[in-house]
Amino acid sequence: MAFVIREFTPKDIQALMEIWLQANCRAHSFIPSSYWEENYEYVSRELLKAEILVCEVEEQIAGFIGMQEDFLAGLFVRIEKQGQGIGTALLKEACRRHEELSLRVYEKNENAVRFYKKYGFVLRESDTDAETGETEYLMRYTGKKELLFEQITLQDGRRVEELSQLASSVVKEVFDPMIGAEQNDYMIHLFQTVPAIKGQLENGYTYYMVKDASGDVGFLAFYPRDGMLYLSKFYLKSSARGRGYAGRMFDFVKKKAVEAGYGKIFLNVNKKNPAAAVYRHMGFQLLREEKNDIGNGFYMDDYVFLYQI
């Protein structure tokens, strides 16, 4: 059977949602179908924000796979086309494009668990889905490319300057469309200049530059706060996104938290930031909302997320 795998276009949405609803109801007989029906409109909106690959058979959409950064949000095949290799073709293409992928799958969905294990996904942890009360597995596929973490200290004057340049560039790209250039430039001055970073290092921040074979691709920073580890910075260059690096970076942060004796990690994320969905997929839970005055008439309007190790 000849498969054509292509990028999603908005005109596909109706066919994709039909497949999504039918496939979920069939695979999750242990969850009332009303649950999927109630989430139909929400998912249809979220699909428009995701990276989606569509599989066509004889010019008909037979299945699709959706990703948000390095999180595999779902793999769905039209019921009458299941068992014909469509899901395998989609998953292999997703793994080809991503260095790493993680996903959540219900424990009772045994066929899916076996399928993902067959193609290299490893069970990392399990927890309870708050909405359904069902046990979910977190599974992860990891590529083999090396990712290095270089700690930046006050003594590394040149690297602090390079960190400031990278941070300012990435934050400018991410937040200008979100909060406006005026507020973003003000915040970059407060938090990402060389003097600002040096001041943070003097006050207990730990900074790491993230590197792959091409050089510096991102950075992260954290420090102890309120008996937990506060993840203050977690960024990647646009050219490095979609390679599975975010999951590996967070694994590194979790390791450092455990080494320091912390069982919880928390962070702030702007309410307009699509990364909120990525943090949720990583296992963060909403702790609270807060709005902080940062001066000059500007506010940080955030969600606060908590991760329990």
Side-chain angles (χ1 to χ4, degrees), residues 20 55 60 63 95 106 114 138 153 177 190 223-224 280:
W20 175 87
C55 182
Q60 180 190 39
C95 290
Y106 289 111
R114 284 194 296 270
L138 173 66
T153 69
L190 284 182
Y223 63 92
R280 288 183 188 274

Side-chain angles (χ1 to χ4, degrees), residues 24-186:
N24 269 317
C25 289
R26 177 167 179 168
H28 305 110
S29 58
F30 47 90
I31 296 174
S33 59
S34 59
Y35 172 78
W36 308 109
E37 292 165 357
E38 290 167 1
N39 281 277
Y40 186 98
E41 293 300 328
Y42 169 76
V43 172
S44 65
R45 292 193 299 271
E46 290 299 302
L47 282 181
L48 298 175
K49 306 174 186 176
E51 174 193 357
I52 298 175
L53 300 175
V54 172
C55 182
E56 287 187 338
V57 178
E58 297 177 348
E59 299 185 351
Q60 180 190 39
I61 296 176
F64 70 98
I65 190 167
M67 292 153 286
Q68 293 174 313
E69 294 286 343
D70 60 351
F71 182 78
L72 198 165
L75 170 57
F76 305 96
V77 177
R78 193 178 293 277
I79 290 175
E80 63 270 22
K81 298 292 185 181
Q82 292 179 2
Q84 299 179 22
I86 294 166
T88 297
L90 284 164
L91 185 62
K92 285 184 175 180
E93 179 62 18
C95 290
R96 188 186 70 80
R97 297 185 181 206
H98 290 256
E99 296 293 337
E100 180 176 300
L101 284 170
S102 61
L103 59 87
R104 290 188 176 274
V105 58
Y106 289 111
E107 176 188 30
K108 291 180 181 177
N109 192 354
E110 296 176 355
N111 289 336
V113 173
R114 284 194 296 270
F115 173 77
Y116 290 122
K117 284 183 176 179
K118 179 180 178 180
Y119 292 103
F121 284 77
V122 177
L123 176 62
R124 289 295 182 89
E125 60 187 60
S126 64
D127 58 21
T128 301
D129 179 10
E131 292 188 358
T132 64
E134 294 290 340
T135 299
E136 276 190 315
Y137 291 144
L138 173 66
M139 303 183 73
R140 182 163 292 160
Y141 167 86
T142 305
K144 301 299 182 182
K145 288 189 177 180
E146 189 174 21
L147 199 62
L148 300 177
F149 297 87
E150 177 192 359
Q151 185 170 358
I152 307 299
T153 69
L154 277 170
Q155 289 69 43
D156 302 322
R158 178 181 61 83
R159 291 298 276 154
V160 170
E161 290 182 6
E162 291 171 348
L163 170 61
S164 173
Q165 292 171 5
L166 175 63
S168 299
S169 173
V170 173
V171 170
K172 186 78 174 164
E173 176 192 22
V174 171
F175 285 100
D176 265 14
M178 197 181 305
I179 63 175
E182 184 180 3
Q183 177 169 342
N184 199 26
D185 287 344
Y186 175 75

